[in-house]
Amino acid sequence: MVDGVFTLASPSPPPTTGINTAGLADFLRTFFAPLFLAVVSVVAIFFLFTREITRFVQFIILAIAIGVIFYVPNIIEVTAKAIAGALGIK
């Protein structure tokens, strides 16, 4: 009984490593890609059936831009480095 009390009273060692997020971006891309494509398809079809060609073109350009930002690997890091370099920040 005394050994059990000492075992419960001793603190457990803290974890040596943090959360492993190596595959998190890939998981999120594979999870949200079909959802993103489905939403884009439904909205694009709506604009085509209502014959709003200008809004359809604007939406497609916006959807392509969002797709490139989120689904091209490292585009956010490359863009941030380019903006920082243009501003003279190292």
Side-chain angles (χ1 to χ4, degrees), residues 40-60:
V40 167
S41 300
V42 168
V43 174
I45 289 172
F46 172 76
F47 284 140
L48 283 177
F49 281 142
T50 57
R51 297 184 181 181
E52 297 182 29
I53 301 301
T54 305
R55 285 189 183 205
F56 171 74
V57 172
Q58 291 172 350
F59 177 75
I60 292 299

Side-chain angles (χ1 to χ4, degrees), residues 14-22:
T16 57
T17 60
I19 298 173
N20 185 8
T21 59

Side-chain angles (χ1 to χ4, degrees), residues 23-35 71:
L24 181 62
D26 291 330
F27 170 74
L28 290 175
R29 284 185 183 117
T30 57
F31 181 75
F32 285 111
L35 183 64
Y71 295 112

